[in-house]
Amino acid sequence: MAELQVHGDTVTIALSIAEKIEALHPDVTIPRSAITGAREVPDGLEEVHGLRMPGTGFPGVILVGTFREPDRTTFAVCHGQRPAIVLDVAGQPYDRIVVTVDAPDAALAALG
């Protein structure tokens, strides 16, 4: 499962080897200053919309990779209908990052 890592001025979505293959993408690192909002949602899969380009998707089961809509691009690492963190981001290749995590409250606390 992907891990949200906070290191000083950066936040990294550290992917497992399997997730790197599913996403066709390496880990994602962004500056903390680029995060304009962060929230917990009960089901990460519900937050992911658009065309998968590239990535892996089985609706209701797994959505991993880049998802494009006309007005935004989302990077998602969502496994199952589980709680997730949604990061709204500015000035980066992605407008949003959605990641299922075991402890969303702890992840939000780490972000400050």
Side-chain angles (χ1 to χ4, degrees), residues 15 19-28 47-57 62-69 72-78 92-98:
L15 307 176
E19 289 166 336
K20 288 177 182 178
I21 293 167
E22 292 167 347
L24 299 172
H25 202 287
D27 295 344
V28 173
E47 293 289 320
V48 183
H49 308 284
L51 296 174
R52 184 182 71 242
M53 305 173 85
T56 300
I62 180 175
L63 295 173
V64 179
T66 303
F67 295 81
R68 299 179 194 278
E69 297 176 83
R72 70 179 171 194
T73 302
T74 300
F75 184 78
V77 185
C78 296
Q92 299 297 307
Y94 302 104
D95 302 299
R96 292 187 331 140
I97 298 173
V98 182

Side-chain angles (χ1 to χ4, degrees), residues 9-21:
D9 293 340
T10 63
V11 174
T12 298
I13 310 306
L15 307 176
S16 68
I17 292 171
E19 289 166 336
K20 288 177 182 178
I21 293 167

Side-chain angles (χ1 to χ4, degrees), residues 3 6 11 39 42-43 45 47 54 58 60 68 70 77 79 84 88-89 92 102 106-107:
E3 183 181 338
V6 180
V11 174
R39 65 189 184 284
D43 181 356
L45 294 173
E47 293 289 320
F58 298 103
R68 299 179 194 278
V77 185
H79 297 278
D88 296 310
V89 182
Q92 299 297 307
D102 286 329

Side-chain angles (χ1 to χ4, degrees), residues 27-48:
D27 295 344
V28 173
T29 299
I30 59 170
R32 284 179 79 173
S33 61
I35 298 172
T36 60
R39 65 189 184 284
E40 176 184 348
V41 295
D43 181 356
L45 294 173
E46 289 291 321
E47 293 289 320
V48 183

